[in-house]
Amino acid sequence: MRLTKRRLLTSLHYLGPLAILLGCIFLRWQDVPFVDQLRLSVFDTYQRISPRTYEDVGVRIVDIDERSLEELGQWPWPRTRLAGLLYRLRLSGAQVVGFDIVFAEPDRTSPARVVNDWPSGPDTDKIKALADNLPDHDALFAQFIRGTGKVVTAIQLTTKKINELPRQTGNFSVAGEAGRTLSDFIPVLPGAAKNLDAIEDAASGNALVNVSPEQDGIVRRVPLLAAIDHELPAIGMPVYPTLSMEMLRVLQDAPRTMNVRMSGASGSERWTQSQGIEAIRVGAVTIPTDHAGHMWVHFTGHQTDRYISAADVMNDALPSGSLQNKVVLIGTSAAGLLDLRSTPLDRVLPGVEVHAEMLEQMILEHFLTRPYWAAEAETIVLLILGLFFVLAVPRLGAIWPAVIGSSLALGAITFSWWAYSSQLLLIDPAYPLISLLAVYLATSSIGFMRTEGERRQVRSAFANYLSPALVEQLARHPDRLKLGGETRDMTLMFCDVRGFTAISEGFKSNPQGLTRLINRLLTPLTDCILRREGTIDKYMGDCIMAFWNAPLDVKNHAHQACESALAMRRALDELNTERQTEATNENSPFLPLNVGIGINCGDCLVGNMGSDQRFDYSVLGDAVNLASRLEGQSKNYGVDIVLGEAIAERVHNDFAILELDLIAVKGKSEAVHIHALLGDANLQNSDGFAFLRNAHQSMISAYRAQNWDAAAALLDQCREISRTADNAGPLNGLYDLYEERIRLFRATPPPTNWNGVFVAISK
């Protein structure tokens, strides 16, 4: 069952992220709206950071602005006024004039139409007869258009059905994509708002003014071609060019036939199997497009230098030669005429300026392009890097793939920006990177959940035995749970309950009570150790074995062990006080709990020891054995905490320590100095303890010099000082021991070569 679960988790670690990767690729090829919008937002950001630099190539906008409407009258103007405007433009040297206005309705200011609404009568009938002989304004306007030449009129494709097709002034030859027509790719609408026939017939060109925004209302691409799917008795769908492209054709005096090159045409660089339009050639200029014949507009942003007020033209207020050899678009920026658009650089921009920017790019042959291979290249990068994350994260962990992925992401963004700024290529780094982030997060999340599961198992198994630091380390690196060890400088502690046999006899009929008592004792003592970065090696009945500085480094581990021992003494005092109160309330006998603690330090072998089937993290070495023997000697010397010589040398400046003896413990031939730990730095720095330490050391020196009288006298002095020394505690047991030894040595003197060593015969 466990093996099956592990295999399932391993499979999920690969199959889950792989499914996300394939889902991201599927969404990319479906080109769902949010994917397209994300890509467009990146391109918008590039344009905002580095818009096209404005270069004056002679494109001007004659603007029917608010001032023109105030000075010359509200819109629509009489066609005679527009004829005068056109005349002045050509007289000023304008090469080509294009209207961003559709003249779909007859001019109501024509004399015959004005008097037609008058009531009949002798006088009005005469006026009507005279008006019929006056020139029609539309015919006069058409005459000016034909006479000035190089004028392009506008049509607006709509969703309304039509009764008559707009005039086609140009046509298209198509190269490539056998069996496909332009209408398979370009925008197709059912109808159009067209000019009056007389006006269309007089113009040199007739073109679209449709500026189609994206789904978010922002203009980024403009269709260069569009078709009408009409229901009229005509052959095929007529295709019309956009205003800027038709003005470019007229400006060049180029043939009416424009060449549309499809992605599969001879000479086109077809890297993939993508289909659609690749470019449109107008005279000497080739305009790259997307597959639907849209041109990407590289905006400069609103430029006032492009604009000339129509009022200035009509009032002859322009400087001489200001329109010489210029290409002029006539449009409006007046808000009431509703020809306003949004672009990546401008929230509100007159629609005619979009055509002006496109015409500037055509003249400059400066084009933004999104190459055909871009989508496939982005997908291939996504697939390769996605598979890298799927395979690498479970093996390498989350860090290195994240570092590599971050570097690749930075490289992709840098390449995309270089392609835009230097090559005018639009490469999308955003969607592949976001998709890769999703794959990486999925992979690392599954790995995290898998690792956390293993960590929970480790924490659950060891939390009650090891220090929190060790538990966390093992949780982070479960692989460390294997056989083996290392030599480290460590501090060891053994703690045992004194008189446990007598205590157990009181619980003969209540073993559960004895268990509760032991647990009640070991819990606070254990807490004192764990809080100071110690590790509980094992419990042996009423005995605790602990150590410091493995497997993690513990700064000042000898000090930490001594602090733990003093804290255990305080915790034991509190527990005995509670138990005595409980015994008094229950009218039951009270036996205080006392412990003996032995602490030593030195080099030890520490690690996982045991068999392949079962092992424990434990410690071995001579320092361990000595610590155990020191705990056993605590009862003999009448103190509760005994320190070995090595640890006493490390902590004697920070704790209150007295030398106990020079002893050869059982199992060792070499003698060591052992010490009693009486208190912390506060006691060590007190005057009372200083007196006690001096008197005690003098007593030890006299004892080892076999000066029994001096030693006995100093014993009495030490007893007296110990009673009054600040918190040193009574040392009667220790001094009784030395008094007994002195009495024995007086009766039976030691050998002449005796050096003060006491040989212990018990543990």
Side-chain angles (χ1 to χ4, degrees), residues 701-718:
S701 298
Y703 168 78
R704 290 176 182 161
Q706 302 184 34
N707 189 347
W708 312 123
D709 293 337
L714 288 169
L715 273 177
D716 293 335
Q717 185 179 350
C718 289

Side-chain angles (χ1 to χ4, degrees), residues 356-367:
E357 294 224 35
M358 294 173 63
L359 187 54
E360 287 173 355
Q361 289 182 244
M362 294 174 186
I363 294 172
L364 291 167
E365 297 190 59
H366 172 107
F367 301 108

Side-chain angles (χ1 to χ4, degrees), residues 128-387:
K128 288 180 179 180
L130 291 173
D132 288 339
N133 294 322
L134 292 175
D136 180 76
H137 287 186
D138 294 318
L140 186 63
F141 183 43
Q143 182 180 347
F144 269 83
I145 290 174
R146 181 175 284 107
T148 56
K150 292 193 175 182
V151 175
V152 178
T153 52
I155 61 174
Q156 177 82 41
L157 295 190
T158 67
T159 57
K160 295 181 180 180
K161 295 181 180 181
I162 56 173
N163 297 320
E164 185 180 358
L165 288 172
R167 175 189 171 215
Q168 284 184 281
T169 57
N171 52 62
F172 303 92
S173 64
V174 180
E177 297 288 2
R180 307 295 295 274
T181 63
L182 284 178
S183 58
D184 292 330
F185 304 103
I186 64 177
V188 177
L189 281 83
K194 62 181 293 294
N195 296 286
L196 299 175
D197 290 341
I199 295 174
E200 279 190 353
D201 292 342
S204 301
N206 199 31
L208 301 169
V209 291
N210 291 69
V211 177
S212 305
E214 309 285 351
Q215 59 184 357
D216 58 357
I218 296 177
V219 176
R220 301 180 181 89
R221 295 172 285 191
V222 175
L224 297 183
L225 304 171
I228 300 178
D229 186 13
H230 59 87
E231 297 181 357
L232 301 174
I235 299 175
M237 296 184 189
V239 177
Y240 299 87
T242 195
L243 177 62
S244 54
M245 190 168 69
E246 183 72 345
M247 290 181 69
L248 178 69
R249 181 187 68 79
V250 174
L251 176 65
Q252 298 180 91
D253 291 321
R256 290 178 177 270
T257 300
M258 290 171 274
N259 179 262
V260 179
R261 187 170 66 192
M262 310 298 281
S263 59
S266 175
S268 66
E269 295 184 4
R270 185 171 183 175
W271 293 40
T272 71
Q273 295 301 314
S274 298
Q275 296 179 337
I277 301 173
E278 185 178 87
I280 301 174
R281 185 172 183 83
V282 181
V285 179
T286 299
I287 306 168
T289 70
D290 66 6
H291 73 285
H294 291 73
M295 171 182 164
W296 290 91
V297 186
H298 196 187
F299 291 96
T300 64
H302 179 64
Q303 300 291 333
T304 56
D305 291 347
R306 293 190 180 107
Y307 284 83
I308 297 173
S309 175
D312 290 337
V313 178
M314 295 299 292
N315 296 331
D316 297 322
L318 295 179
S320 176
S322 58
L323 289 177
Q324 188 66 39
N325 296 324
K326 298 297 189 287
V327 180
V328 177
L329 288 129
I330 299 176
T332 177
S333 65
L337 301 185
L338 303 177
D339 187 27
L340 301 176
R341 299 287 186 268
S342 294
T343 72
L345 303 184
D346 298 281
R347 295 184 62 184
V348 178
L349 187 77
V352 66
E353 193 166 0
V354 176
H355 294 292
E357 294 224 35
M358 294 173 63
L359 187 54
E360 287 173 355
Q361 289 182 244
M362 294 174 186
I363 294 172
L364 291 167
E365 297 190 59
H366 172 107
F367 301 108
L368 278 179
T369 58
R370 178 158 169 78
Y372 278 97
W373 49 263
E376 284 82 356
E378 292 160 5
T379 304
I380 291 172
V381 169
L382 171 58
L383 178 62
I384 293 175
L385 296 183
L387 290 175

Side-chain angles (χ1 to χ4, degrees), residues 530-591:
L530 297 182
R531 284 180 180 273
R532 290 160 183 83
E533 303 183 76
T535 297
I536 303 298
D537 183 292
K538 59 178 66 73
Y539 296 102
M540 297 168 286
D542 59 324
C543 180
I544 302 174
M545 176 182 174
F547 54 78
W548 280 260
N549 204 40
L552 301 176
D553 293 334
V554 177
K555 186 177 181 180
N556 296 327
H557 53 87
H559 290 69
Q560 293 282 49
C562 293
E563 291 284 0
S564 298
L566 294 176
M568 294 165 71
R569 175 195 288 168
R570 293 190 295 269
L572 184 60
D573 290 342
E574 293 175 2
L575 177 60
N576 281 328
T577 300
E578 292 177 7
R579 291 181 58 248
Q580 185 173 15
T581 301
E582 294 170 359
T584 301
N585 293 336
E586 297 173 1
N587 195 24
S588 59
F590 168 67
L591 288 176

Side-chain angles (χ1 to χ4, degrees), residues 687-705:
D687 293 338
F689 182 75
F691 292 144
L692 174 62
R693 181 178 58 234
N694 293 335
H696 181 87
Q697 193 59 47
S698 298
M699 184 274 294
I700 292 292
S701 298
Y703 168 78
R704 290 176 182 161

